[in-house]
Amino acid sequence: MTLSTSFQPLYKQVYDQLTQRLVNGHWKPAEALPSEMALAAELGVSQGTVRKALNQMVAENLLERQQGKGTYVAEHTQESSLFRFFRLREPDGQSLIPDTQVLSSARRAATKTESIKLNIKGKSQVVQLLRLRSLQGEPVIMEKVVLPLSVFPNIDKELEMPNSLYTLYQDKYGISIVSVRDELRATEIPDEYADKLNLAVGSPVMMVERQSINIDGRVVECSEAYYATNKYVYATEHR
Amino acid sequence: MTLSTSFQPLYKQVYDQLTQRLVNGHWKPAEALPSEMALAAELGVSQGTVRKALNQMVAENLLERQQGKGTYVAEHTQESSLFRFFRLREPDGQSLIPDTQVLSSARRAATKTESIKLNIKGKSQVVQLLRLRSLQGEPVIMEKVVLPLSVFPNIDKELEMPNSLYTLYQDKYGISIVSVRDELRATEIPDEYADKLNLAVGSPVMMVERQSINIDGRVVECSEAYYATNKYVYATEHR
DNA sequence: CAGTGGTCTAGACCACCTT
DNA sequence: AGGTGGTCTAGACCACTGC
């Protein structure tokens, strides 16, 4: 294990090194990592130090461990990522899985705001997707997703858009979304979306601006969505 | 350390025992706990086991530890609890501290919904507070708070209502709010609140239904609030 | 300086899974 | 049975705080 000049606990250096391998794609989603003993021997530290790094990565949803089996790279399946980041619920708290329809896909230059949010050069190329999402056959979300082409080359040429984009990001582009930041406001629904969400012109809707963060900490996606909350609610929890 | 019949890891038993002391009020907020060594000796386990329990409690915001000083019961100061649970932000992400004005306080029987949410007997007595909260002099939240009298005896007789109720709950009633669950919808502002929030009748606002959870896991407060989100946004993050 | 929590190690044993 | 992660221990040393 290489020592850095500024003091860092050993387990933190191990953590950084292992996380780097995930970012690099050295270990792919659902793949098994070497055992604690093997990693400890390779990195020249004790088993306990490796364990501390691994457990921190589990806490951050980067890895999954199972007693008796091994340590695996966390996988974003359709189910799990929809379950984690899709916030609409029945008012009683029951969670549901949405259906998704891609309405359009287009390439264009980033706006100023977008280039700031995505931390890309002004007027870089982005892809804009328009999606309509439904729960139990009822349209509930009209969503505009903006992706930098530099991160997702030719994503507008994709034929099959999965229900959860995050699985596509992971499988085709090596992007693992680990967290999202949402900003919510109430507003009147834009006229052009009213029909699509089965709402009267001027109905109150929730606008959700989201930034999605990759395992390496970069914002790689931003979206702006209108949520119809007459039948479902946006649920969240704070600790 | 007493062993239970069903298997529990030692550190979990230590965790339960220490948490129980917090619930009991055996250790008060801001008070220092005995050192790891002392606790280990008292409970008949090793220092490492105590540490694992303590660190879990730190992760849950129950304790705070400082190298060289000691372990302290987490305190809900005005600042910290407002910072944690007050979600309105400037659109650029900057967080602000609200001012609060109590408009009314009344005792009444719980509604059916309230008794379910608060897990109390139907028609138990509750206190309802009406509060108006402002940011930078601008009214932004109209809030109805419902509290079971059984948990907060005579809270309607309180003279000084602090800016953050949570500090009052902690200091006078031994209630430590550790998490909140919010359900959000967009709706038209109720006519009677429009004036108070400086909004036109029929303006879209965000309705936030909140349940607040005590250290022992009980829901001890529920509230229903209308947020004006024309100038500020409700910010949240998911991992 | 003494006392606290934080890191790191090494080894023993347990619980679980696969073969 | 053999390998994995999970628990628990004991001891050494480090980093920080306050007297």
Side-chain angles (χ1 to χ4, degrees):
Chain A
M1 166 115 305
T2 316
L3 289 168
S4 65
T5 50
S6 68
F7 175 74
Q8 291 255 87
L10 253 187
Y11 72 86
K12 173 63 173 152
Q13 300 175 45
V14 173
Y15 168 90
D16 288 340
Q17 194 141 334
L18 298 182
T19 303
Q20 192 54 44
R21 294 191 193 177
L22 292 185
V23 172
N24 290 342
H26 179 72
W27 292 316
K28 296 287 197 300
E31 193 174 333
L33 266 63
S35 71
E36 292 180 348
M37 289 300 280
L39 286 170
E42 181 201 335
L43 300 170
V45 300
S46 78
Q47 188 188 9
T49 301
V50 171
R51 161 164 293 149
K52 189 156 183 178
L54 291 175
N55 283 339
Q56 187 178 332
M57 295 172 77
V58 169
E60 293 167 7
N61 294 309
L62 302 180
L63 300 177
E64 291 168 9
R65 316 192 73 187
Q66 259 183 281
Q67 192 174 57
K69 291 192 69 177
T71 304
Y72 300 84
V73 181
E75 193 182 13
H76 290 162
T77 62
Q78 293 272 356
E79 292 263 319
S80 70
S81 54
L82 284 172
F83 189 80
R84 261 174 75 196
F85 298 124
F86 186 82
R87 306 310 306 175
L88 282 189
R89 300 274 182 278
E90 299 262 18
D92 64 16
Q94 188 145 29
S95 80
L96 297 166
I97 300 295
D99 294 320
T100 308
Q101 182 189 356
V102 177
L103 301 183
S104 72
S105 158
R107 206 180 273 216
R108 59 170 172 78
T111 66
K112 192 166 182 184
T113 332
E114 286 163 357
S115 60
I116 294 172
K117 282 188 182 169
L118 294 168
N119 195 27
I120 54 180
K121 293 219 176 85
K123 300 192 178 166
S124 301
Q125 289 281 99
V126 296
V127 168
Q128 168 177 321
L129 299 174
L130 222 56
R131 305 201 301 166
L132 182 63
R133 317 192 79 178
S134 307
L135 283 174
Q136 300 177 316
E138 193 81 31
V140 288
I141 299 179
M142 187 69 207
E143 181 184 51
K144 186 183 78 183
V145 180
V146 176
L147 305 167
L149 257 178
S150 55
V151 178
F152 301 96
N154 290 315
I155 194 170
D156 51 337
K157 303 294 190 295
E158 280 296 328
L159 298 175
E160 284 292 320
M161 281 291 181
N163 195 357
S164 165
L165 284 174
Y166 295 161
T167 62
L168 175 67
Y169 300 165
Q170 173 188 271
D171 297 344
K172 296 269 177 71
Y173 303 93
I175 299 287
S176 280
I177 304 297
V178 296
S179 69
V180 299
R181 287 199 293 261
D182 283 353
E183 288 189 358
L184 289 70
R185 309 160 215 256
T187 180
E188 288 185 6
I189 189 164
D191 290 356
E192 65 268 32
Y193 293 157
D195 262 1
K196 296 221 156 61
L197 290 177
N198 282 344
L199 293 176
V201 170
S203 297
V205 290
M206 224 159 56
M207 184 178 110
V208 179
E209 288 185 89
R210 169 167 292 190
Q211 289 174 279
S212 309
I213 290 131
N214 188 21
I215 187 176
D216 61 9
R218 285 183 304 159
V219 175
V220 294
E221 178 201 67
C222 64
S223 65
E224 196 178 300
Y226 294 90
Y227 285 46
T229 52
N230 41 347
K231 296 201 179 138
Y232 303 96
V233 299
Y234 180 106
T236 183
E237 189 168 354
H238 297 103
R239 305 169 187 282
Chain B
M1 166 115 304
T2 316
L3 289 169
S4 65
T5 51
S6 67
F7 175 73
Q8 290 254 89
L10 253 188
Y11 73 85
K12 172 64 173 149
Q13 300 175 45
V14 172
Y15 168 91
D16 288 340
Q17 193 140 335
L18 298 182
T19 303
Q20 193 53 45
R21 294 193 193 177
L22 291 184
V23 172
N24 289 342
H26 178 72
W27 291 316
K28 294 290 197 303
E31 193 175 332
L33 266 63
S35 72
E36 292 180 347
M37 289 300 278
L39 286 170
E42 181 201 335
L43 300 170
V45 300
S46 79
Q47 187 188 9
T49 302
V50 170
R51 161 163 293 150
K52 189 156 182 178
L54 291 176
N55 283 340
Q56 188 177 332
M57 294 172 77
V58 169
E60 293 167 7
N61 294 309
L62 301 181
L63 300 178
E64 292 167 7
R65 316 192 73 188
Q66 255 184 285
Q67 193 174 58
K69 293 191 68 176
T71 304
Y72 300 85
V73 181
E75 193 182 12
H76 290 163
T77 61
Q78 293 272 358
E79 292 263 319
S80 70
S81 54
L82 285 172
F83 189 81
R84 262 173 75 195
F85 299 124
F86 186 82
R87 305 311 304 174
L88 282 189
R89 300 274 182 278
E90 299 262 18
D92 65 14
Q94 189 145 28
S95 79
L96 297 164
I97 301 294
D99 293 319
T100 309
Q101 181 188 357
V102 177
L103 301 183
S104 73
S105 158
R107 206 179 271 217
R108 58 170 172 78
T111 66
K112 193 167 181 183
T113 332
E114 286 163 359
S115 60
I116 293 172
K117 281 188 182 169
L118 294 169
N119 196 28
I120 54 179
K121 293 218 177 87
K123 301 194 176 164
S124 301
Q125 289 281 99
V126 295
V127 168
Q128 169 176 321
L129 300 174
L130 223 55
R131 306 202 300 165
L132 182 63
R133 317 192 79 179
S134 307
L135 284 173
Q136 299 177 318
E138 193 82 31
V140 287
I141 299 179
M142 187 69 208
E143 181 185 52
K144 186 183 80 184
V145 180
V146 176
L147 305 166
L149 257 178
S150 54
V151 178
F152 301 96
N154 289 315
I155 194 169
D156 50 337
K157 302 295 190 295
E158 279 298 328
L159 298 175
E160 284 291 321
M161 281 291 180
N163 196 357
S164 165
L165 284 174
Y166 295 162
T167 62
L168 174 67
Y169 299 166
Q170 174 187 270
D171 297 344
K172 297 269 177 73
Y173 303 93
I175 299 287
S176 280
I177 304 298
V178 296
S179 68
V180 299
R181 285 199 295 260
D182 282 353
E183 288 189 357
L184 289 70
R185 310 161 215 256
T187 181
E188 288 183 7
I189 189 165
D191 291 355
E192 66 269 31
Y193 292 157
D195 262 1
K196 295 222 156 61
L197 290 176
N198 282 345
L199 293 175
V201 170
S203 297
V205 291
M206 224 158 58
M207 185 179 111
V208 179
E209 288 185 89
R210 168 167 293 190
Q211 289 174 277
S212 308
I213 290 131
N214 187 21
I215 188 176
D216 60 9
R218 286 182 303 158
V219 174
V220 293
E221 177 201 68
C222 64
S223 66
E224 196 178 300
Y226 293 91
Y227 285 46
T229 52
N230 42 345
K231 295 200 180 140
Y232 302 96
V233 298
Y234 181 106
T236 182
E237 189 168 354
H238 297 102
R239 307 170 185 280

